[in-house]
């Protein structure tokens, strides 16, 4: 027979269990459509507050190499998480790398854990090319190049037209996603809604610098980062303006190429047609690597490419037909491969020449043969390819063109010993990733964010940009897919980066729908 204390303990446990179950059941009954509506109402009453906080985040310089300001960003984000009730907020660190910002938001009765990834660092800037300083965010009535004028960010409940744009480094890539996630949680709390999943966030501080320390971060802190799946909250929506969900990211590799002529610049009249010209050497070498229709001519380059699946081909065929509009907007009479669909081209490797430098042109041009010529290459990889593999193929190709290839410094003795010398300097890179489009996690995300959406969701097998998703899949053994919110014309990585305000508003509704509807969708209980 149970004594009084045992009976009391049993009763408390039973009541607690019943209350937890009731709480979970109550949350499960809230629809994603209701969450969208609640988020919209909340946002309309707090637009000034949301943009003010966003501007404060954008105002902190965020180059990964700037350790002092990167730490300021991280500390600010920790305070943002704590203000939303996150627990175990902390900075995850490894020697020599910027910190990642981490936090947890557990929910009674939730059976799944979702981890949201975003990054808070940004690309380097050339401030002279910006209309306003890159870390002094401003709100404009519309795009600056079509006459958008600066307007004040309103206070409190002041309203802002959705076509306005906020300018500043990382507005679109990727601090906008962080703001949308946290503002969605504010909106949910105001309506007494809670996420239907346990939530973790991981905000990286080195993505734009190559994520060199990400592998160590994920390995060392793997126990902390346990979850059922990850969402990569980064990137732009589809060019048509419709919300997209992307199941893959291209990999990345890159190299700097230097070829050599005489040891000092020579008069082109006295020495032209006699001394090798590095400008011609590098132009001929580049032309040997790819044709003007985008076909990569490096031997064996396509051999390791994983074939596109039938499901992925069907998804590409179902994407909005937007290429003609894009060509007109970009002033292009044609695009590569006989006007093949952009989505089809993204499924293939890309070999991009991102810059060439030799001699001078226009006002700096002179009749000389330069001593050296430089080119910079950006390679986008697809599943099956690896950075090491493409490096081997590219260097073998350069050798077949008659060059002596080195990765180190070039000496005069080396130039005398070989008719043609090429220095190839490789950066860090990573392979591509692509999650199955019909997996249970993907289906759950589709169901949750489609509930109450104004337009059908765009399902994209892969995005053109690269990201380190493969590390999460390899180290943490979980699927990862991408959920972007930025406008496609946000000038990411370039001067005058911006976020269209309506994209932020839509993102807040999107994350509210996701977090409220995800738990039920993941259990397969969507009506």
């Amino acid at each position: 027979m149970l004594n009084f204390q045992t009976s009391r303990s049993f009763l408390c446990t039973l009541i607690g269990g019943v209350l937890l179950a009731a709480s979970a059941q109550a949350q499960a009954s809230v629809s994603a459509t209701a969450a969208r509506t609640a988020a919209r109402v909340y946002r309309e009453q707090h637009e000034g507050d949301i943009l003010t906080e966003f501007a404060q985040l954008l105002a902190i310089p965020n180059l990964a190499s700037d350790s002092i300001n990167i730490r300021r960003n991280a500390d600010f984000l920790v305070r943002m998480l704590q203000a939303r009730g996150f627990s175990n907020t902390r900075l995850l660190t490894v020697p020599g790398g910027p910190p990642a910002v981490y936090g947890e938001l557990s929910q009674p009765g939730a059976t799944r854990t979702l981890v949201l990834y975003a990054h808070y660092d940004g690309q380097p800037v050339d401030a002279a090319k910006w209309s306003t300083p890159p870390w002094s965010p401003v709100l404009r009535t519309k795009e600056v190049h079509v006459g958008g004028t600066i307007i004040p960010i309103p206070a409190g409940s002041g309203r802002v037209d959705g076509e306005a744009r906020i300018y500043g480094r990382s507005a679109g890539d990727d601090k906008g996603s962080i703001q949308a996630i946290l503002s969605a949680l504010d909106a949910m709390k105001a309506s007494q809604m809670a996420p239907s999943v346990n939530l973790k966030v991981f905000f990286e501080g080195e993505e734009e610098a190559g994520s060199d320390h990400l592998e160590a971060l994920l390995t060392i802190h793997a126990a902390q980062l346990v979850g059922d799946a990850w969402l990569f909250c980064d990137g732009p929506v589809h060019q048509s303006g419709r919300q997209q969900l992307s199941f893959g990211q291209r990999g990345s590799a890159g190299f700097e190429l230097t070829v050599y002529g005489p040891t000092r610049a020579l008069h082109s009249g006295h020495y032209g047609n006699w001394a090798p010209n590095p400008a011609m050497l590098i132009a001929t070498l580049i032309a040997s690597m790819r044709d003007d229709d985008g076909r990569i001519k490096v031997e064996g380059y396509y051999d390791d490419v994983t074939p596109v699946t039938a499901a992925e081909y069907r998804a590409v065929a179902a994407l909005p037909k937007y290429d003609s509009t894009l060509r007109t907007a970009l002033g292009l009479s044609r695009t590569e491969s006989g006007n093949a669909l952009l989505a089809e081209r993204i499924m293939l490797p890309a070999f991009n020449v991102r810059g060439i430098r030799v001699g001078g042109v226009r006002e700096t041009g002179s009749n000389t043969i330069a001593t050296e010529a430089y080119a910079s290459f950006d390679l986008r990889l697809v599943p099956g390819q690896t950075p090491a593999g493409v490096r081997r193929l590219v260097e073998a190709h350069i050798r077949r063109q008659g060059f002596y290839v080195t990765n180190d410094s070039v000496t005069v003795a080396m130039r005398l010993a070989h008719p043609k010398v090429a220095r190839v300097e490789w950066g860090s890179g990573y392979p591509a990733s692509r999650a199955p489009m019909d997996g249970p996690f993907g289906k759950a995300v589709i169901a949750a964010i489609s509930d109450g959406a104004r337009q059908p969701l765009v399902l994209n097998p892969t995005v053109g940009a690269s990201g380190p998703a493969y590390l999460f899949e390899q180290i943490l053994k979980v699927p990862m897919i991408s959920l972007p919110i930025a406008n496609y014309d946000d000038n990411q990585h370039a001067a005058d980066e911006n976020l269209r305000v309506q994209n932020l508003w839509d993102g807040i509704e999107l994350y509210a729908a996701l977090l409220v509807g995800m738990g039920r969708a993941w259990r397969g209980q969507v009506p």
Side-chain angles (χ1 to χ4, degrees):
M1 183 175 180
L2 297 175
N3 60 33
F4 174 76
Q5 284 297 114
T6 304
S7 299
R8 183 180 179 187
S9 176
F10 174 77
L11 183 61
C12 288
T13 301
L14 179 63
I15 292 173
V18 170
L19 290 175
L20 284 177
S23 173
Q25 183 62 37
Q27 287 300 324
S29 66
V30 177
S31 71
T33 298
R36 286 181 183 274
T37 301
R40 189 177 309 123
V41 170
Y42 173 87
R43 180 265 297 170
E44 289 174 349
Q45 297 170 349
H46 298 85
E47 290 182 2
D49 289 332
I50 294 168
L51 289 178
T52 296
E53 182 181 48
F54 187 35
Q56 291 171 349
L57 179 59
L58 292 175
I60 309 174
N62 62 336
L63 295 180
S65 58
D66 182 356
S67 59
I68 294 175
N69 278 313
I70 276 291
R71 181 58 186 261
R72 287 179 59 210
N73 276 272
D75 291 341
F76 188 88
L77 288 168
V78 166
R79 293 193 295 271
M80 291 177 75
L81 292 177
Q82 291 171 340
R84 273 78 179 188
F86 278 79
S87 64
N88 199 20
T89 53
R90 54 184 294 208
L91 301 183
L92 305 182
T93 60
V94 295
V101 179
Y102 174 82
E104 301 174 359
L105 198 60
S106 299
Q107 298 303 320
T111 60
R112 297 278 195 171
T113 297
L114 176 65
V115 191
L116 301 181
Y117 168 98
H119 66 87
Y120 63 89
D121 68 312
Q123 282 279 323
V125 300
D126 181 349
K129 295 182 179 180
W130 284 67
S131 301
T132 50
W135 289 296
S136 296
V138 296
L139 185 66
R140 292 182 179 272
T141 54
K142 53 186 176 182
E143 296 167 85
V144 64
H145 72 272
V146 293
T149 57
I150 296 175
I151 55 176
I153 296 174
S157 59
R159 300 297 303 277
V160 178
D161 188 332
E163 293 305 316
R165 300 203 178 202
I166 188 163
Y167 280 79
R169 175 52 93 218
S170 297
D173 184 18
D174 180 35
K175 289 181 176 180
S177 292
I178 295 174
Q179 187 66 54
I181 292 165
L182 300 185
S183 295
L185 289 168
D186 291 337
M188 291 162 59
K189 183 178 180 180
S191 296
Q192 298 183 325
M193 296 179 181
S196 58
V197 292
N198 295 315
L199 185 63
K200 296 180 179 181
V201 296
F202 179 92
F203 300 149
E204 189 191 356
E206 198 182 25
E207 196 272 347
E208 297 292 8
S211 297
D212 287 348
H213 295 86
L214 181 59
E215 183 173 3
L217 275 169
L218 297 183
T219 301
I220 293 171
H221 301 287
Q224 193 90 48
L225 300 172
V226 170
D228 293 292
W230 285 59
L231 269 182
F232 196 85
C233 305
D234 187 10
V237 299
H238 190 264
Q239 290 89 344
S240 64
R242 286 169 53 186
Q243 180 62 52
Q244 71 174 340
L245 186 67
S246 300
F247 291 78
Q249 299 174 348
R250 291 205 280 190
S252 176
F255 66 97
E256 304 295 319
L257 174 67
T258 308
V259 300
Y260 300 85
T263 55
R264 62 182 175 86
L266 298 175
H267 188 291
S268 62
H270 294 320
Y271 296 99
N273 299 340
W274 181 80
N277 188 322
M280 293 304 300
L281 288 173
I282 207 161
T284 302
L285 184 53
I286 291 171
S288 77
M289 294 179 180
R290 75 185 298 276
D291 64 24
D292 61 3
D293 219 21
R295 177 75 184 178
I296 301 167
K297 299 193 290 186
V298 174
E299 184 178 325
Y301 204 85
Y302 295 93
D303 290 354
D304 294 331
V305 171
T306 301
V308 178
T309 67
E312 290 167 343
Y313 273 125
R314 288 195 297 271
V316 167
L319 292 173
K321 303 301 184 287
Y322 202 72
D323 286 40
S324 294
T325 303
L326 269 180
R327 277 191 286 271
T328 300
L330 298 173
L332 301 172
S333 64
R334 61 171 291 276
T335 45
E336 292 180 346
S337 194
N339 290 333
L341 291 175
L342 172 61
E344 290 179 357
R345 302 294 289 164
I346 285 173
M347 303 291 284
L348 297 172
F351 203 103
N352 178 54
V353 183
R354 59 189 171 196
I356 303 171
R357 190 176 79 219
V358 56
V361 298
R362 296 181 182 272
E363 66 278 2
T364 63
S366 63
N367 297 328
T368 55
I369 298 169
T371 62
E372 298 172 349
Y374 310 90
S376 183
F377 296 83
D378 153 33
L379 313 181
R380 301 293 173 162
L381 313 183
V382 297
Q385 294 183 300
T386 65
V390 299
R391 172 176 177 166
R392 184 176 62 255
L393 293 170
V394 168
E395 291 190 358
H397 175 86
I398 296 173
R399 290 188 184 96
R400 283 194 296 272
Q401 310 314 304
F403 285 84
Y404 174 79
V405 175
T406 179
N407 305 122
D408 300 315
S409 298
V410 173
T411 65
V412 173
M414 193 181 296
R415 293 165 72 162
L416 287 171
H418 303 281
K420 295 191 290 187
V421 175
R423 184 182 184 188
V424 185
E425 303 168 84
W426 291 87
S428 59
Y430 41 79
S433 67
R434 201 175 293 163
M437 301 188 71
D438 55 354
F441 174 54
K443 287 181 177 179
V445 177
I446 292 168
I449 64 179
S450 294
D451 188 1
R454 288 186 287 271
Q455 293 180 299
L457 186 65
V458 174
L459 303 179
N460 201 340
T462 193
V463 291
S466 298
Y470 80 100
L471 281 174
F472 300 87
E473 297 171 353
Q474 289 184 1
I475 297 173
L476 302 179
K477 311 300 182 186
V478 292
M480 182 181 233
I481 56 181
S482 299
L483 183 62
I485 68 162
N487 38 298
Y488 85 92
D489 57 350
D490 64 346
N491 289 353
Q492 65 183 110
H493 295 193
D496 288 338
E497 181 178 351
N498 65 87
L499 183 68
R500 176 175 170 263
V501 169
Q502 189 61 49
N503 281 71
L504 178 59
W505 299 161
D506 292 344
I508 294 170
E509 293 182 29
L510 175 76
Y511 282 111
L514 172 79
L515 296 176
V516 166
M518 191 67 192
R520 181 176 54 171
W522 225 337
R523 292 193 300 269
Q525 298 177 6
V526 174

